[in-house]
Amino acid sequence: MSKERVLTGITTSGTPHLGNYVGAIRPAIALSRRSDTEAFYFLADYHALIKSQAPEMVHQSTKEIAAAFLALGLDTDNAIFYRQSDLPEIPELCWMLNCLAAKGLMNRAHAYKGAVAKNLEAGEDPDFRINMGLYSYPVLMAADILLFNAHKVPVGRDQIQHLEMARDIAQRCNHVYGSNKHPLFVLPEAVVDDKVATLQGLDGRKMSKSYGNTIPLFLPEKQLKKHINKIKTNLLEPGEPKDPDSSAVFQIWEAFATPEQTAAMRTEFENGIAWGEAKKQLFELINDELAEPRVRYQELLEDSSYIEEVLQAGAEKARVYSRPLMARMRDAVGIRPLG
Ligand code: TRP
């Protein structure tokens, strides 16, 4: 049986937090260890440039996200782990796809439409502060995916539309340049795992950098404790029954606990556990899982030339796939040697 090819990208625009860990990093690492799967994971640093013109932040974030994956046990023998900007085939394919993708398709992209709506609300010009990177973001993402003929793309819900666009562009490319017998591209599918939690942040909204409500993944112990103590609760006293299902403390607990531990905590809530005690137990649970990787993470950050070596080796492995595909694509569009 041929292996299923899975690919996903992580935008390098911040410090990895518990929401990234539970929603993306932990499942990606689990998948990297499976022998029936060929996993491609990359640091989407070109995507980071769309939102951020802060060079030090992009650089630091790339280092931190790479270190986090390695510290948490990514299997780099089985999975191919690379940085988007190390593959010249990505922007090359991106251009060719730009020449196939309909502008009208991009007009419908949520991220772009959201930015326009915000401008209009503020009484600005619709295109105020919208760069071409944001506009054609879905095309770059399609290039990332199609270059490796990935079958499955694990993503958050907000990315489903981008996958639909990647399929649309792939289909168009197959129609224009391929044949039924030899389609150029596999049509990729989004995989949104309902079992994977979207973590709540300190204020109870989705944990997200843009809300400023995150708990960074590798905080030193003391600070982790402090952050957990900041998770919003209500004024119920010890002894008063508490509703687990509306509590961020419980929801985060569930993302780290075994089913038995979750059932036990549910009972504790019903019996009126004090918020301070629930948070103390939550700290211990999270800290147990992250204490060892935290040490490795700090070591890796201090030796970033090692991280660089791993990424370079990953890029070499990735290019074994991307070079021939790009050669086929060049030939298909008519860019060939003349004699
Ligand atoms: N846009 C994705 C996000 O913000 C990151 C990403 C870039 C990606 N290229 C990709 C995800 C290709 C999957 C496949 O989450």
Side-chain angles (χ1 to χ4, degrees):
M1 199 189 83
S2 72
K3 291 189 183 190
E4 186 162 74
R5 192 171 291 179
V6 173
L7 174 145
T8 199
I10 309 92
T11 307
T12 55
S13 57
T15 293
H17 56 69
L18 291 186
N20 301 138
Y21 173 64
V22 168
I25 307 177
R26 193 170 59 184
I29 289 175
L31 208 58
S32 80
R33 302 176 163 276
R34 286 177 60 137
S35 57
D36 58 353
T37 304
E38 216 177 356
F40 290 73
Y41 299 138
F42 68 95
L43 304 162
D45 53 352
Y46 283 145
H47 277 92
L49 302 184
I50 294 168
K51 274 198 249 159
S52 166
Q53 273 103 41
E56 285 318 313
M57 196 275 280
V58 171
H59 183 246
Q60 181 65 19
S61 170
T62 305
K63 205 195 296 187
E64 289 178 357
I65 296 174
F69 269 81
L70 297 177
L72 289 161
L74 179 75
D75 181 348
T76 50
D77 291 327
N78 196 31
I80 300 186
F81 185 51
Y82 55 98
R83 171 169 51 197
Q84 187 180 31
S85 60
D86 284 332
L87 271 59
E89 291 79 16
I90 292 177
E92 190 177 358
L93 179 60
C94 183
W95 179 254
M96 294 184 186
L97 300 183
N98 260 307
C99 297
L100 282 166
K103 175 173 176 284
L105 187 67
M106 295 304 114
N107 288 342
R108 293 197 288 276
H110 298 315
Y112 166 70
K113 271 176 53 179
V116 171
K118 239 181 161 177
N119 282 337
L120 292 175
E121 235 169 75
E124 297 285 356
D125 184 90
D127 289 331
F128 181 64
R129 289 211 176 135
I130 296 179
N131 58 42
M132 287 303 293
L134 177 67
Y135 193 63
S136 55
Y137 179 120
V139 184
L140 178 56
M141 194 161 149
D144 294 331
I145 298 167
L146 302 184
L147 188 58
F148 293 98
N149 275 324
H151 307 122
K152 297 270 162 78
V153 184
V155 281
R157 260 172 222 298
D158 58 329
Q159 300 292 316
I160 293 176
Q161 189 196 31
H162 293 149
L163 262 294
E164 283 163 9
M165 291 181 165
R167 288 171 68 84
D168 191 296
I169 296 169
Q171 244 159 348
R172 182 149 173 82
C173 198
N174 287 345
H175 177 73
V176 174
Y177 292 121
S179 63
N180 282 345
K181 256 184 157 171
H182 301 286
L184 281 158
F185 295 117
V186 165
L187 304 187
E189 267 175 54
V191 186
V192 179
D193 190 341
D194 288 325
K195 291 195 296 297
V196 170
T198 303
L199 224 57
Q200 292 174 25
L202 296 176
D203 58 0
R205 289 186 292 173
K206 176 188 169 185
M207 192 180 287
S208 159
K209 197 185 72 137
S210 47
Y211 293 147
N213 65 357
T214 67
I215 303 178
L217 177 55
F218 288 125
L219 284 176
E221 230 168 76
K222 264 196 184 152
Q223 292 212 36
L224 177 62
K225 202 178 257 168
K226 266 197 187 158
H227 272 72
I228 289 174
N229 280 330
K230 278 193 280 187
I231 300 172
K232 194 175 150 197
T233 54
N234 54 28
L235 296 173
L236 292 173
E237 298 287 339
E240 290 187 85
K242 300 179 174 63
D243 174 26
D245 298 310
S246 60
S247 160
V249 175
F250 184 79
Q251 196 244 3
I252 301 175
W253 173 272
E254 193 170 18
F256 284 85
T258 61
E260 293 73 31
Q261 289 171 317
T262 300
M265 187 54 90
R266 184 173 279 283
T267 311
E268 297 244 35
F269 265 65
E270 283 155 8
N271 292 341
I273 187 172
W275 285 120
E277 176 59 24
K279 285 178 171 179
K280 181 168 162 273
Q281 291 191 25
L282 177 61
F283 162 74
E284 278 159 14
L285 183 71
I286 296 179
N287 196 49
D288 277 352
E289 184 162 329
L290 296 179
E292 270 179 37
R294 185 193 292 132
V295 175
R296 283 197 295 276
Y297 177 76
Q298 289 305 342
E299 286 169 358
L300 282 161
L301 286 186
E302 276 157 34
D303 181 12
S304 43
S305 61
Y306 171 75
I307 307 178
E308 184 61 37
E309 264 171 49
V310 171
L311 290 178
Q312 291 306 326
E316 268 321 302
K317 283 197 213 166
R319 295 191 72 195
V320 169
Y321 296 83
S322 61
R323 275 198 210 94
L325 188 131
M326 206 53 231
R328 257 183 88 196
M329 185 65 186
R330 281 175 152 254
D331 183 68
V333 302
I335 295 180
R336 311 177 186 132
L338 297 180

